[in-house]
Amino acid sequence: MVLKSSAAHPPNPPGLSTTTPTIVADPSITDIDNNEQETELTAERDGAFVPEADEHGYRIREEPYGTKRRLRVVLMGAGASTLNFLKKAEEKMSNLTITVYEKNRDVGGTWFENRYPGCACDIPSVNYQFSWKIKLWTHFYSYSPEIWEYLKEIYEENDFVNKYVKLQHQIEHAEWDRKAAVWRFKVKNLTTGELVDDEAEFFINAGGVLNHFKWPDLPGLQNFKGKLMHSAAYEEGYPLEGKRVAVVGAGSSGVQIVSKISKTAGHVFHWIRSPIWITAGFAQTWAGKEGGNFEYTDEQLEYLQKNPRKYLEYRKQIENELNQRFKFIIKGSQEAHDAREFSYKQMAKHLKNDPRLVGKIIPKNFNPGCRRPTPAPGYLEALVAPNATIFTDALGTITAKGFLDHEGKEHEVDVMICATGFDTSWRPRFPLLNGSGVDLRDFWSNEVVSYLSIGIPTYPNHFTFCGPYGPLGHGSFMPLIEIWTQYMFDVIEKAQVENIKSFTPRLDVSQQFRQHADLFLKRTAWTSACRSWFKQGKVDGQAAIYPGSRLHFFHLLEKVRYEDFEMEYWDENRFAFLGNGFDTREFDGRDITHYLGLLDGEDKQPEYGDELVNKMAGWAVGK
C-alpha cells in the first residue's frame, strides 16, 4: 500500500508561482549597439551564462529543499507496534510505500495468540493504550480478548489490513543488497505455499519479543494421549471443569493459568523448580484488594467518560507510580528492602506458612523485580488448595496417561498445559544477512549486541521495536512504541530528504553502549540469580535489558544520534539535497512566515484580505 504523497502539483499560496523559477535570457539583448562587451554583461545579468555544471560535472538538482524521494518499508508482524506505525505514518509521512507481513490469520500479535485461561496484561488497562486512542476498560488489568478487540477495532476502522497487511505471510529470508541499497525478501504465502520476492529500503521488525513459543524438552512428551496444549497456542474454550490438569511452567503464563483454573479443575498438578517472587502487578496502589484485579463499576466508568480531564489525571497518577518502580530495582536501596520485606510477608501469609513451600518457593538471594511481576491473584492460594499437588523437584518422564514424578510414581491426567514460554535468544527464525554475508543468527550465536535496543550494528536500514537492551521490565510498552515509531520516522524522513542510501549503527559505538549497560545492570535486581526471560530463561544469562529508568530511555530516544551511524549517500556531494535554492514550503501550501507563529494554529498559507493594508499602509493614512 502507498501512503499518499504531497500532491504532484501542490497548491500554491497567494502570490507564489506553481513552479520554481526558470532562468531565460532576453534574446533582444544581442542587438544592443553591436557592443559585444555590453551584450555579455547584459546577458550575464539575465542569466544566459549561468553554468549548468561545475568543472567536476556537479549539477544542481532542480527541486526545492525538502523534496522527499519515495521509499518502501516492510514491517514484520501486525500487532500493536505496527498499528501505531501505520496510524502515525498516515498522519506524518509522505512518499512511503508500506507492506506488512503477518504470519497469523488475523492481526493483534501476542493478544491474538495468547488466549489461555486467565491471560491478562500486567499493566493497568488505562495505561496500556495509545495516547491517541483512549477508551473505557472493563477491568483494571484487562484480559486478552478485550485488548485484542481494542487493537482489532483500530485496524478495522482505518482499513489498515486492506491497505497494508498481508495475512498468513511469513518472511523466510531477508538480505541487504549493498549495491541497490534495498532489503530483498523471500516471503511464503502460508495458505498456498507460494514463495514470493519483495524488496524495500527499510526493514522493521515489529514481531514483538515473545512471539516464538517453545515446547519443553521433556522425554515422552509426544507420547501423551490426553489433551496437550501450549499456553501460546491454547484452544480457547476447551473445558477443564472437573478434569485432572498438569501445568508445566511457573512463569507469567503458568501462574495466571493455575490461578484461573484452580477453582474449577478437578485436580491441578504444578511444578515450581526455582524460587520466585509472587507479587501484585504494576500500580498496586490503584488495584483491588491486596493488589488484585477488579472490574470497574458503572459509576466509575460513567465518571471517567463525563470527566476526560479527570480520566487523564487518573492515568497520570498511575503512570507516576509505574515510573517510581525503578527505584526498587536498585540493589541495596530502601525501596528494594521494603519491597522484599512486604513481599515475603504476603507470600508466607497466602501460602499459609506451609514450611515446604515457604522454604522452597520464596527466594533467599534475590529481590523482587528480578523477573517482571505478573498479576495472578489467587495463585498462592491455589498452591495450598486441597485439589493441588505442587512439585519442587524435576518432572520425570511423560507417559501416555500422564507423567512420572521425581520418585517414579505415575500420575494420570486428562490435560497437560505447557506454559513454558518462548525462544528468548533474540535470534530470528530465518536467515537475516547484512550484505556482508553475516547471518544475524550467527552474529548473535553466543551473546547479543544492539544499538539502543532499536538497531543492530552492521545491519543497515533495519529497526526493531524493543530489541535487546530495551526497557523490557519497565512498565507499559504503549508509550515506548510511540517513542520508537517517531525515532524511525526521523531517520526515514532524513533518508528521503537528504537522499541518504543507508544508516548503519556502528559496531564500536554499540559495544560501548553494551559495556556501559552491563556494568550498570550489576547494580540491579535484573542480574540477580533468578531465571527470567530477560536473561534468555537462564539464571546466569546475559541481561539484555535497558540500563536505566523509563524516563531515562525516553530522554535518550528524543533525538537521533546520527553521529553513531555510518551513513552512505547516493550523491557524491552530500549537500545536493539543497537543490535549487527554494524550500518545499514555498510551493506546497504551508505558511511561509510560520516562524512568526501560526494563525489559528494551522500550518497553511493564510488568505489575506485587504482590511489590514487599507488600514495600516502608509499611503492609506488620512485617506
Side-chain angles (χ1 to χ4, degrees):
M1 182 64 194
V2 179
L3 281 180
K4 290 183 178 179
S5 65
S6 303
H9 302 286
N12 31 286
L16 290 180
S17 167
T18 57
T19 59
T20 53
T22 301
I23 298 173
V24 180
D26 185 350
S28 65
I29 61 177
T30 58
D31 298 324
I32 299 179
D33 299 326
N34 294 317
N35 188 320
E36 185 176 344
Q37 182 178 6
E38 184 177 355
T39 300
E40 289 181 358
L41 290 173
T42 308
E44 173 65 21
R45 179 198 65 194
D46 292 330
F49 298 115
V50 174
E52 294 184 359
D54 67 8
E55 65 273 21
H56 303 291
Y58 174 70
R59 294 172 178 266
I60 298 294
R61 179 174 294 142
E62 297 302 335
E63 59 186 25
Y65 173 27
T67 300
K68 297 179 181 179
R69 68 185 174 100
R70 179 164 296 284
L71 292 179
R72 293 154 293 177
V73 178
V74 160
L75 292 102
M76 181 176 67
S81 298
T82 288
L83 180 53
N84 184 75
F85 188 96
L86 297 177
K87 178 68 174 177
K88 292 303 169 180
E90 288 196 339
E91 295 175 3
K92 298 182 176 184
M93 303 296 284
S94 61
N95 282 354
L96 274 190
T97 301
I98 301 175
T99 301
V100 180
Y101 291 111
E102 169 56 59
K103 69 182 189 307
N104 291 323
R105 59 180 172 80
D106 209 342
V107 298
T110 188
W111 301 113
F112 172 75
E113 294 179 351
N114 288 272
R115 296 302 182 90
Y116 57 80
C119 182
C121 187
D122 60 4
I123 296 296
S125 308
V126 298
N127 291 75
Y128 194 78
Q129 57 183 336
F130 296 116
S131 62
W132 46 268
K133 185 67 173 181
I134 304 301
K135 68 161 287 186
L136 298 174
W137 297 84
T138 62
H139 288 77
F140 186 71
Y141 298 116
S142 286
Y143 291 101
S144 176
E146 186 174 15
I147 302 173
W148 175 76
E149 288 167 5
Y150 168 75
L151 300 175
K152 173 73 170 177
E153 179 182 322
I154 301 174
Y155 270 102
E156 289 184 338
E157 67 187 14
N158 291 278
D159 198 29
F160 285 156
V161 174
N162 287 332
K163 289 191 285 188
Y164 305 109
V165 183
K166 293 183 181 295
L167 298 172
Q168 293 186 285
H169 281 71
Q170 183 166 287
I171 295 176
E172 300 275 289
H173 188 277
E175 183 171 3
W176 176 253
D177 183 329
R178 288 191 176 276
K179 184 176 181 180
V182 294
W183 282 97
R184 300 200 184 278
F185 306 96
K186 292 193 179 299
V187 184
K188 186 175 184 180
N189 183 326
L190 299 180
T191 303
T192 65
E194 179 186 9
L195 202 63
V196 297
D197 294 325
D198 198 2
E199 63 181 45
E201 281 85 359
F202 282 86
F203 176 30
I204 297 173
N205 179 359
V209 182
L210 306 177
N211 62 17
H212 188 192
F213 73 83
K214 62 179 181 180
W215 291 99
D217 185 16
L218 293 173
L221 181 63
Q222 300 307 319
N223 296 330
F224 180 60
K225 301 300 182 185
K227 184 66 174 179
L228 177 65
M229 293 184 284
H230 193 284
S231 57
Y234 193 84
E235 185 178 322
E236 193 173 7
Y238 186 85
L240 300 176
E241 292 78 6
K243 290 186 168 63
R244 299 163 296 181
V245 184
V247 180
V248 183
S252 58
S253 302
V255 301
Q256 288 184 333
I257 291 170
V258 170
S259 174
K260 183 68 175 180
I261 71 175
S262 174
K263 296 180 179 63
T264 56
H267 198 89
V268 177
F269 299 91
H270 186 47
W271 289 260
I272 305 176
R273 294 288 317 286
S274 305
I276 52 174
W277 287 108
I278 302 297
T279 62
F282 291 91
Q284 299 173 35
T285 302
W286 298 86
K289 294 180 180 179
E290 298 187 336
N293 200 0
F294 72 91
E295 186 174 2
Y296 288 109
T297 65
D298 291 339
E299 291 77 13
Q300 288 175 313
L301 294 177
E302 183 179 3
Y303 175 77
L304 295 179
Q305 185 174 35
K306 290 183 176 180
N307 297 277
R309 190 178 186 283
K310 286 296 181 183
Y311 192 4
L312 175 60
E313 184 180 330
Y314 176 47
R315 299 197 306 275
K316 284 177 70 66
Q317 289 195 57
I318 292 177
E319 191 79 0
N320 185 72
E321 183 172 329
L322 296 180
N323 287 339
Q324 295 287 337
R325 288 177 60 89
F326 183 69
K327 295 175 182 177
F328 88 73
I329 296 297
I330 304 299
K331 295 175 182 176
S333 67
Q334 185 61 48
E335 289 82 359
H337 176 270
D338 294 344
R340 180 185 179 91
E341 291 297 308
F342 175 79
S343 299
Y344 184 93
K345 292 176 182 178
Q346 288 295 103
M347 286 187 68
K349 171 187 170 183
H350 291 304
L351 289 171
K352 298 181 179 179
N353 290 300
D354 180 289
R356 180 177 73 95
L357 295 181
V358 168
K360 289 282 190 179
I361 295 177
I362 301 181
K364 298 179 178 61
N365 60 345
F366 60 86
N367 289 334
C370 186
R371 302 199 317 183
R372 187 176 173 107
T374 300
Y379 175 70
L380 295 172
E381 293 85 345
L383 301 183
V384 293
N387 66 336
T389 300
I390 307 302
F391 300 98
T392 56
D393 293 289
L395 171 59
T397 303
I398 306 299
T399 67
K401 295 181 179 181
F403 64 90
L404 300 179
D405 65 21
H406 58 288
E407 295 178 342
K409 179 182 177 181
E410 183 172 22
H411 301 265
E412 295 186 5
V413 297
D414 305 298
V415 181
M416 186 169 292
I417 303 173
C418 296
T420 46
F422 301 82
D423 178 354
T424 54
S425 68
W426 298 104
R427 293 190 294 274
R429 309 185 204 187
F430 55 88
L432 179 60
L433 287 82
N434 67 357
S436 298
V438 179
D439 189 334
L440 186 59
R441 296 174 301 177
D442 297 324
F443 188 52
W444 282 350
S445 60
N446 297 318
E447 53 188 20
V448 297
V449 179
S450 82
Y451 174 72
L452 310 186
S453 83
I454 196 170
I456 303 173
T458 77
Y459 282 74
N461 291 11
H462 179 70
F463 293 122
T464 303
F465 282 96
C466 200
Y469 288 94
L472 306 169
H474 295 60
S476 174
F477 264 37
M478 293 306 203
L480 297 166
I481 287 171
E482 296 187 30
I483 289 288
W484 280 310
T485 299
Q486 184 57 54
Y487 184 102
M488 295 174 193
F489 285 172
D490 290 345
V491 176
I492 292 171
E493 188 169 52
K494 186 177 179 70
Q496 289 180 302
V497 172
E498 299 185 21
N499 206 29
I500 297 176
K501 185 177 183 180
S502 64
F503 298 82
T504 309
R506 289 169 45 184
L507 179 59
D508 60 335
V509 172
S510 301
Q511 289 170 332
Q512 290 175 9
F513 167 66
R514 182 188 163 182
Q515 180 185 26
H516 170 82
D518 289 350
L519 179 59
F520 176 86
L521 289 168
K522 293 183 185 299
R523 63 180 68 181
T524 70
W526 294 319
T527 54
S528 298
C530 73
R531 191 182 305 275
S532 78
W533 62 267
F534 299 155
K535 298 182 291 185
Q536 301 85 53
K538 303 173 183 177
V539 172
D540 58 351
Q542 180 185 356
I545 191 167
Y546 184 71
S549 67
R550 295 176 85 221
L551 295 178
H552 191 274
F553 184 77
F554 290 156
H555 191 179
L556 177 62
L557 260 69
E558 279 179 3
K559 297 178 181 178
V560 181
R561 292 173 48 87
Y562 290 110
E563 65 268 29
D564 295 345
F565 290 83
E566 294 173 357
M567 294 189 291
E568 291 187 65
Y569 291 76
W570 282 110
D571 300 296
E572 288 187 16
N573 184 329
R574 68 178 57 195
F575 288 103
F577 68 86
L578 293 176
N580 61 6
F582 289 85
D583 191 273
T584 52
R585 177 177 288 275
E586 298 176 72
F587 308 101
D588 63 12
R590 287 179 293 164
D591 190 346
I592 62 171
T593 59
H594 61 290
Y595 45 86
L596 298 180
L598 300 175
L599 295 179
D600 303 319
E602 192 172 357
D603 189 6
K604 70 176 184 179
Q605 181 67 14
E607 295 183 9
Y608 299 116
D610 295 332
E611 178 186 357
L612 271 176
V613 70
N614 288 334
K615 192 169 187 65
M616 298 301 299
W619 54 259
V621 177
K623 183 178 178 181

